[in-house]
Amino acid sequence: MNATHSDHPYGNGGAGTPAPARVPGDDVPHVRTWMSWPSRKSVWGRQLRGVQQDIALIARTVARYEPVVMCAPDAYSVDEARSHCGGSVTVIDSIPTDDLWMRDTAPVFRRDGRGGLEAVGLNFNGWGRKQVHADDAYVAEGIARLNRQPFHRAEFVGEGGAIETDGDGTVLATESSLVNKNRNRGMSRAEIEAAVLDAYGAVKMIWVPGIKGKDITDDHIDVTSRFVRPGTVLVQLPPNGRTDVWARDAREQFAILAGETDARGRRLEVIRVDGPDTVRSRNKDFVDSYLNFHLVNGAVITAQFGDPVKDAAAARTLAAAFPGREVVQLDVDRLMAGGGGIHCSTMHEPLA
Protein backbone atom coordinates (compact mmCIF):
# COMPACT_ATOMS: atom_id res chain seq x y z
CA MET A 1 0.00 0.00 0.00
CA ASN A 2 2.88 2.37 -0.67
CA ALA A 3 3.58 4.43 -3.74
CA THR A 4 6.61 5.55 -5.68
CA HIS A 5 5.03 6.88 -8.85
CA SER A 6 7.13 9.96 -9.49
CA ASP A 7 9.41 10.01 -12.51
CA HIS A 8 10.88 13.39 -11.60
CA PRO A 9 14.68 13.42 -11.29
CA TYR A 10 15.86 14.09 -7.78
CA GLY A 11 18.19 17.03 -7.37
CA ASN A 12 19.08 20.17 -5.48
CA GLY A 13 19.97 22.28 -8.48
CA GLY A 14 23.35 22.33 -10.17
CA ALA A 15 25.94 25.08 -10.16
CA GLY A 16 24.23 28.33 -11.01
CA THR A 17 20.80 26.67 -10.90
CA PRO A 18 18.37 27.66 -8.15
CA ALA A 19 17.36 24.86 -5.82
CA PRO A 20 13.80 23.65 -6.38
CA ALA A 21 11.02 25.24 -4.36
CA ARG A 22 10.47 22.89 -1.42
CA VAL A 23 8.64 22.74 1.90
CA PRO A 24 11.36 22.12 4.51
CA GLY A 25 11.09 19.72 7.41
CA ASP A 26 9.78 20.90 10.76
CA ASP A 27 13.28 20.77 12.28
CA VAL A 28 14.67 23.84 10.47
CA PRO A 29 15.03 27.18 12.32
CA HIS A 30 11.75 29.07 12.63
CA VAL A 31 10.77 32.71 12.30
CA ARG A 32 7.63 32.19 14.38
CA THR A 33 4.75 29.89 15.25
CA TRP A 34 1.19 30.68 14.15
CA MET A 35 -1.76 29.77 16.37
CA SER A 36 -5.51 30.49 16.53
CA TRP A 37 -7.67 31.31 19.53
CA PRO A 38 -10.72 29.06 20.08
CA SER A 39 -13.79 31.21 20.57
CA ARG A 40 -16.91 29.38 19.34
CA LYS A 41 -19.23 27.73 21.84
CA SER A 42 -21.02 26.33 18.81
CA VAL A 43 -17.91 24.23 18.17
CA TRP A 44 -16.67 23.50 21.71
CA GLY A 45 -19.71 23.89 23.94
CA ARG A 46 -18.91 23.52 27.64
CA GLN A 47 -15.34 22.45 26.82
CA LEU A 48 -14.44 25.87 25.42
CA ARG A 49 -12.92 27.40 28.55
CA GLY A 50 -10.72 24.40 29.26
CA VAL A 51 -9.54 24.24 25.66
CA GLN A 52 -8.71 27.94 25.81
CA GLN A 53 -6.56 27.31 28.86
CA ASP A 54 -4.68 24.54 27.04
CA ILE A 55 -4.11 26.68 23.95
CA ALA A 56 -2.83 29.51 26.15
CA LEU A 57 -0.44 27.10 27.87
CA ILE A 58 0.92 25.91 24.53
CA ALA A 59 1.32 29.49 23.29
CA ARG A 60 3.13 30.66 26.43
CA THR A 61 5.41 27.62 26.29
CA VAL A 62 6.29 28.05 22.61
CA ALA A 63 6.90 31.77 23.22
CA ARG A 64 9.81 30.85 25.50
CA TYR A 65 11.64 29.65 22.39
CA GLU A 66 10.31 31.63 19.42
CA PRO A 67 7.74 34.32 18.61
CA VAL A 68 4.07 33.31 18.60
CA VAL A 69 1.32 35.07 16.63
CA MET A 70 -2.20 34.19 17.79
CA CYS A 71 -5.07 34.92 15.38
CA ALA A 72 -8.39 35.80 17.00
CA PRO A 73 -11.70 36.47 15.21
CA ASP A 74 -12.77 39.74 16.84
CA ALA A 75 -11.85 42.40 19.38
CA TYR A 76 -13.50 40.54 22.29
CA SER A 77 -11.52 37.39 21.49
CA VAL A 78 -8.32 39.41 21.19
CA ASP A 79 -8.78 40.71 24.73
CA GLU A 80 -9.66 37.23 25.96
CA ALA A 81 -6.60 35.68 24.31
CA ARG A 82 -4.28 38.37 25.64
CA SER A 83 -5.57 37.90 29.17
CA HIS A 84 -4.84 34.15 28.99
CA CYS A 85 -1.59 34.24 27.04
CA GLY A 86 0.14 37.25 28.54
CA GLY A 87 2.50 39.71 26.93
CA SER A 88 4.84 37.13 25.39
CA VAL A 89 2.28 36.24 22.69
CA THR A 90 1.25 38.61 19.90
CA VAL A 91 -2.53 38.51 19.35
CA ILE A 92 -4.11 39.91 16.17
CA ASP A 93 -7.64 40.13 14.75
CA SER A 94 -6.75 40.89 11.13
CA ILE A 95 -7.07 37.21 10.14
CA PRO A 96 -10.45 35.92 11.38
CA THR A 97 -10.69 32.22 12.30
CA ASP A 98 -13.41 29.71 13.11
CA ASP A 99 -11.41 27.29 15.23
CA LEU A 100 -7.95 26.58 16.63
CA TRP A 101 -6.46 24.00 14.22
CA MET A 102 -3.80 26.16 12.62
CA ARG A 103 -1.79 23.18 11.30
CA ASP A 104 -4.66 22.53 8.92
CA THR A 105 -5.80 26.05 8.06
CA ALA A 106 -2.50 27.96 7.76
CA PRO A 107 -0.38 27.75 4.64
CA VAL A 108 2.58 25.46 4.37
CA PHE A 109 5.65 27.57 3.79
CA ARG A 110 7.85 26.70 0.84
CA ARG A 111 11.40 27.89 0.33
CA ASP A 112 11.49 29.27 -3.19
CA GLY A 113 15.10 28.27 -3.93
CA ARG A 114 16.19 31.89 -4.24
CA GLY A 115 16.35 32.84 -0.59
CA GLY A 116 12.67 33.65 -0.08
CA LEU A 117 9.50 32.06 1.24
CA GLU A 118 6.18 31.50 -0.47
CA ALA A 119 2.94 30.36 1.11
CA VAL A 120 0.96 27.42 -0.26
CA GLY A 121 -2.71 27.05 0.63
CA LEU A 122 -4.11 23.52 0.75
CA ASN A 123 -7.73 24.60 0.12
CA PHE A 124 -9.05 23.78 3.58
CA ASN A 125 -12.70 22.67 3.39
CA GLY A 126 -13.48 21.80 7.00
CA TRP A 127 -12.06 18.26 6.77
CA GLY A 128 -14.53 17.32 4.08
CA ARG A 129 -17.19 19.87 5.08
CA LYS A 130 -17.62 18.38 8.53
CA GLN A 131 -17.29 21.70 10.39
CA VAL A 132 -17.90 25.41 9.87
CA HIS A 133 -14.95 26.92 7.97
CA ALA A 134 -16.09 30.14 6.30
CA ASP A 135 -13.21 32.06 7.91
CA ASP A 136 -10.73 29.18 8.25
CA ALA A 137 -10.84 28.64 4.48
CA TYR A 138 -9.13 32.03 4.04
CA VAL A 139 -6.54 31.82 6.82
CA ALA A 140 -3.76 30.62 4.53
CA GLU A 141 -4.23 33.48 2.11
CA GLY A 142 -4.58 35.96 4.98
CA ILE A 143 -1.26 34.93 6.51
CA ALA A 144 0.47 35.19 3.14
CA ARG A 145 -0.98 38.67 2.64
CA LEU A 146 0.07 39.81 6.12
CA ASN A 147 3.57 38.44 5.52
CA ARG A 148 3.66 39.93 1.99
CA GLN A 149 4.58 36.53 0.62
CA PRO A 150 3.66 35.07 -2.77
CA PHE A 151 0.60 32.85 -2.37
CA HIS A 152 -0.15 29.71 -4.35
CA ARG A 153 -3.09 27.32 -4.15
CA ALA A 154 -2.29 23.63 -4.31
CA GLU A 155 -4.09 21.52 -6.89
CA PHE A 156 -5.65 19.29 -4.24
CA VAL A 157 -7.70 19.70 -1.05
CA GLY A 158 -6.01 18.72 2.19
CA GLU A 159 -4.54 19.86 5.47
CA GLY A 160 -1.06 20.38 6.85
CA GLY A 161 -1.56 17.65 9.43
CA ALA A 162 -2.31 15.17 6.66
CA ILE A 163 1.17 15.32 5.14
CA GLU A 164 4.60 14.77 6.70
CA THR A 165 7.67 15.94 4.78
CA ASP A 166 11.36 15.32 5.44
CA GLY A 167 12.30 18.46 3.48
CA ASP A 168 14.56 16.28 1.32
CA GLY A 169 12.17 14.97 -1.29
CA THR A 170 9.95 12.53 0.60
CA VAL A 171 6.42 12.92 1.97
CA LEU A 172 4.11 10.63 3.97
CA ALA A 173 0.30 10.61 4.04
CA THR A 174 -2.72 8.44 4.73
CA GLU A 175 -4.89 7.49 1.78
CA SER A 176 -7.97 7.77 3.98
CA SER A 177 -7.55 11.51 4.40
CA LEU A 178 -6.52 12.62 0.91
CA VAL A 179 -7.85 9.94 -1.43
CA ASN A 180 -11.32 10.74 -0.24
CA LYS A 181 -14.32 12.10 -2.14
CA ASN A 182 -15.04 14.56 0.69
CA ARG A 183 -11.87 16.40 -0.33
CA ASN A 184 -10.73 15.30 -3.76
CA ARG A 185 -13.78 13.91 -5.53
CA GLY A 186 -13.01 12.71 -9.04
CA MET A 187 -9.22 12.60 -8.56
CA SER A 188 -7.30 9.34 -8.66
CA ARG A 189 -4.60 8.53 -6.13
CA ALA A 190 -1.97 9.10 -8.80
CA GLU A 191 -3.40 12.55 -9.58
CA ILE A 192 -3.52 13.50 -5.89
CA GLU A 193 0.02 12.23 -5.41
CA ALA A 194 1.30 14.33 -8.30
CA ALA A 195 -0.41 17.42 -6.86
CA VAL A 196 1.04 16.83 -3.39
CA LEU A 197 4.54 16.30 -4.76
CA ASP A 198 4.24 19.49 -6.79
CA ALA A 199 3.03 21.54 -3.82
CA TYR A 200 5.75 20.26 -1.49
CA GLY A 201 8.59 20.16 -4.00
CA ALA A 202 9.02 16.46 -3.28
CA VAL A 203 9.66 13.50 -5.57
CA LYS A 204 8.51 10.46 -3.59
CA MET A 205 5.28 9.86 -1.70
CA ILE A 206 4.80 7.02 0.77
CA TRP A 207 1.17 6.14 1.35
CA VAL A 208 -0.26 4.29 4.32
CA PRO A 209 -3.93 3.21 4.25
CA GLY A 210 -5.32 5.04 7.31
CA ILE A 211 -8.93 4.97 8.52
CA LYS A 212 -11.87 6.78 6.95
CA GLY A 213 -14.74 8.19 8.93
CA LYS A 214 -13.61 7.42 12.49
CA ASP A 215 -12.48 10.96 13.30
CA ILE A 216 -12.99 14.37 11.77
CA THR A 217 -9.65 14.27 9.91
CA ASP A 218 -10.09 10.79 8.42
CA ASP A 219 -6.82 9.88 10.19
CA HIS A 220 -4.03 12.43 9.91
CA ILE A 221 -0.49 11.07 9.68
CA ASP A 222 0.88 13.52 12.28
CA VAL A 223 -0.70 11.63 15.18
CA THR A 224 1.13 8.37 14.49
CA SER A 225 4.16 8.80 12.20
CA ARG A 226 6.57 11.75 12.08
CA PHE A 227 9.85 12.48 10.35
CA VAL A 228 12.82 13.15 12.61
CA ARG A 229 15.14 13.95 9.73
CA PRO A 230 15.63 12.56 6.23
CA GLY A 231 15.84 8.80 6.50
CA THR A 232 14.42 8.57 10.03
CA VAL A 233 10.82 8.39 11.24
CA LEU A 234 9.12 7.96 14.59
CA VAL A 235 6.05 5.74 14.86
CA GLN A 236 3.91 5.43 17.99
CA LEU A 237 2.67 1.94 18.78
CA PRO A 238 -0.13 1.04 21.20
CA PRO A 239 0.11 -1.31 24.19
CA ASN A 240 0.13 -4.97 23.18
CA GLY A 241 -3.39 -5.58 24.45
CA ARG A 242 -5.04 -2.98 22.23
CA THR A 243 -6.77 -4.33 19.13
CA ASP A 244 -9.00 -1.42 18.10
CA VAL A 245 -8.84 0.12 14.62
CA TRP A 246 -6.37 2.79 15.72
CA ALA A 247 -4.03 0.17 17.17
CA ARG A 248 -4.16 -1.86 13.96
CA ASP A 249 -3.56 1.31 11.93
CA ALA A 250 -0.46 2.20 13.95
CA ARG A 251 1.01 -1.28 13.57
CA GLU A 252 0.34 -1.21 9.84
CA GLN A 253 2.06 2.16 9.50
CA PHE A 254 5.09 0.81 11.37
CA ALA A 255 5.30 -2.27 9.12
CA ILE A 256 4.98 -0.27 5.89
CA LEU A 257 7.53 2.35 6.86
CA ALA A 258 10.01 -0.25 8.12
CA GLY A 259 10.11 -1.67 4.58
CA GLU A 260 10.30 1.65 2.75
CA THR A 261 13.05 3.78 1.25
CA ASP A 262 13.07 7.55 0.82
CA ALA A 263 13.64 9.74 -2.22
CA ARG A 264 17.39 9.19 -2.06
CA GLY A 265 17.05 5.42 -1.77
CA ARG A 266 17.82 5.22 1.95
CA ARG A 267 16.05 2.48 3.89
CA LEU A 268 14.00 4.28 6.54
CA GLU A 269 15.12 3.93 10.13
CA VAL A 270 11.91 3.56 12.13
CA ILE A 271 12.09 4.47 15.81
CA ARG A 272 9.36 3.01 18.00
CA VAL A 273 7.61 5.15 20.60
CA ASP A 274 5.30 3.31 22.98
CA GLY A 275 1.96 4.96 23.65
CA PRO A 276 0.67 5.35 27.21
CA ASP A 277 -0.90 2.44 29.05
CA THR A 278 -3.29 4.75 30.88
CA VAL A 279 -4.67 8.26 30.32
CA ARG A 280 -6.64 10.62 32.52
CA SER A 281 -9.41 11.29 30.01
CA ARG A 282 -12.40 9.05 29.36
CA ASN A 283 -13.36 10.88 26.17
CA LYS A 284 -13.72 8.48 23.23
CA ASP A 285 -12.11 11.05 20.88
CA PHE A 286 -9.05 11.50 23.09
CA VAL A 287 -5.76 11.60 21.18
CA ASP A 288 -3.09 9.85 23.28
CA SER A 289 -0.21 10.80 20.98
CA TYR A 290 3.28 11.74 22.11
CA LEU A 291 4.11 12.26 18.43
CA ASN A 292 1.72 15.14 17.90
CA PHE A 293 4.59 17.33 19.09
CA HIS A 294 5.64 20.77 17.87
CA LEU A 295 9.31 21.39 17.15
CA VAL A 296 10.45 24.89 18.05
CA ASN A 297 13.83 26.60 18.14
CA GLY A 298 15.66 24.64 20.83
CA ALA A 299 12.82 22.44 22.10
CA VAL A 300 10.24 19.73 21.44
CA ILE A 301 6.83 20.59 22.89
CA THR A 302 4.83 17.40 23.47
CA ALA A 303 2.14 15.96 25.71
CA GLN A 304 2.08 13.88 28.87
CA PHE A 305 -0.81 11.74 30.00
CA GLY A 306 -0.18 10.98 33.67
CA ASP A 307 1.49 7.62 32.92
CA PRO A 308 4.86 8.19 34.64
CA VAL A 309 6.69 5.29 33.00
CA LYS A 310 5.52 5.86 29.44
CA ASP A 311 5.67 9.68 29.72
CA ALA A 312 9.32 9.46 30.81
CA ALA A 313 10.19 6.90 28.13
CA ALA A 314 8.65 9.07 25.41
CA ALA A 315 10.60 12.10 26.66
CA ARG A 316 13.85 10.11 26.51
CA THR A 317 13.13 8.92 22.99
CA LEU A 318 12.35 12.43 21.77
CA ALA A 319 15.46 13.82 23.46
CA ALA A 320 17.60 11.20 21.71
CA ALA A 321 15.87 11.82 18.37
CA PHE A 322 16.36 15.59 18.59
CA PRO A 323 19.70 16.14 20.35
CA GLY A 324 20.25 19.66 21.62
CA ARG A 325 16.52 20.33 22.08
CA GLU A 326 14.81 20.48 25.44
CA VAL A 327 11.80 18.19 25.74
CA VAL A 328 8.83 19.94 27.38
CA GLN A 329 5.77 17.85 28.24
CA LEU A 330 2.42 19.54 28.84
CA ASP A 331 -0.90 18.40 30.24
CA VAL A 332 -3.27 19.46 27.47
CA ASP A 333 -5.88 16.76 28.02
CA ARG A 334 -8.80 19.05 27.27
CA LEU A 335 -7.42 19.93 23.86
CA MET A 336 -6.60 16.31 23.06
CA ALA A 337 -10.10 15.24 24.07
CA GLY A 338 -11.22 17.44 21.16
CA GLY A 339 -9.52 15.17 18.65
CA GLY A 340 -6.18 16.92 18.13
CA GLY A 341 -3.04 18.00 19.89
CA ILE A 342 -0.09 20.35 20.06
CA HIS A 343 1.12 19.90 16.48
CA CYS A 344 -2.45 20.21 15.21
CA SER A 345 -2.85 23.60 16.88
CA THR A 346 0.39 25.16 15.64
CA MET A 347 2.05 26.00 12.33
CA HIS A 348 5.71 26.90 12.10
CA GLU A 349 7.03 29.50 9.70
CA PRO A 350 10.60 28.58 8.73
CA LEU A 351 13.45 30.89 8.02
CA ALA A 352 13.85 31.43 4.29
Side-chain angles (χ1 to χ4, degrees), residues 119-293:
V120 181
L122 303 187
N123 304 299
F124 181 71
N125 76 340
W127 307 282
R129 305 191 185 282
K130 299 186 188 82
Q131 185 174 295
V132 60
H133 57 279
D135 287 330
D136 281 345
Y138 295 97
V139 167
E141 189 171 0
I143 289 175
R145 187 181 300 112
L146 188 66
N147 281 349
R148 298 183 179 178
Q149 292 163 335
F151 180 70
H152 308 275
R153 289 196 179 276
E155 297 298 320
F156 69 98
V157 175
E159 304 88 35
I163 301 163
E164 270 287 300
T165 180
D166 68 351
D168 197 37
T170 309
V171 293
L172 313 176
T174 57
E175 290 191 44
S176 55
S177 188
L178 295 179
V179 189
N180 194 320
K181 64 183 180 181
N182 65 20
R183 293 166 172 86
N184 294 298
R185 181 183 294 273
M187 292 180 72
S188 68
R189 191 180 82 163
E191 290 170 332
I192 296 164
E193 177 176 312
V196 172
L197 293 176
D198 179 67
Y200 277 74
V203 295
K204 178 168 183 177
M205 188 153 188
I206 301 173
W207 291 102
V208 295
I211 305 166
K212 283 185 181 179
K214 292 292 186 180
D215 76 323
I216 196 171
T217 73
D218 294 295
D219 192 10
H220 274 179
I221 193 77
D222 69 344
V223 168
T224 307
S225 299
R226 300 287 303 278
F227 273 114
V228 175
R229 63 186 65 88
T232 304
V233 292
L234 293 159
V235 179
Q236 181 168 312
L237 290 178
N240 290 334
R242 273 187 58 184
T243 59
D244 57 83
V245 293
W246 299 109
R248 295 196 298 270
D249 176 52
R251 294 183 185 114
E252 187 170 29
Q253 289 190 32
F254 188 96
I256 289 172
L257 295 177
E260 264 292 351
T261 56
D262 69 5
R264 291 185 181 267
R266 293 169 291 215
R267 176 61 63 90
L268 291 180
E269 176 191 2
V270 183
I271 300 172
R272 171 179 178 150
V273 176
D274 289 318
D277 291 320
T278 60
V279 297
R280 290 173 292 249
S281 176
R282 296 182 180 179
N283 190 296
K284 65 180 179 62
D285 297 321
F286 190 78
V287 178
D288 61 348
S289 173
Y290 295 116
L291 296 195
N292 199 256
F293 56 76

Side-chain angles (χ1 to χ4, degrees), residues 34-35 55 58 100-103 335 341-346:
W34 291 88
M35 296 185 67
I55 286 296
I58 294 167
L100 64 87
W101 307 112
M102 191 60 90
R103 181 65 49 177
L335 173 66
I342 296 170
H343 188 253
C344 299
S345 65
T346 55

Side-chain angles (χ1 to χ4, degrees), residues 76-137:
Y76 175 82
S77 298
V78 166
D79 291 340
E80 190 176 48
R82 285 174 177 159
S83 70
H84 282 75
C85 296
S88 64
V89 175
T90 300
V91 183
I92 63 173
D93 64 0
S94 55
I95 303 174
T97 58
D98 295 299
D99 204 357
L100 64 87
W101 307 112
M102 191 60 90
R103 181 65 49 177
D104 293 345
T105 61
V108 294
F109 294 96
R110 189 167 64 190
R111 287 173 169 167
D112 64 12
R114 300 180 299 275
L117 278 183
E118 49 195 26
V120 181
L122 303 187
N123 304 299
F124 181 71
N125 76 340
W127 307 282
R129 305 191 185 282
K130 299 186 188 82
Q131 185 174 295
V132 60
H133 57 279
D135 287 330
D136 281 345

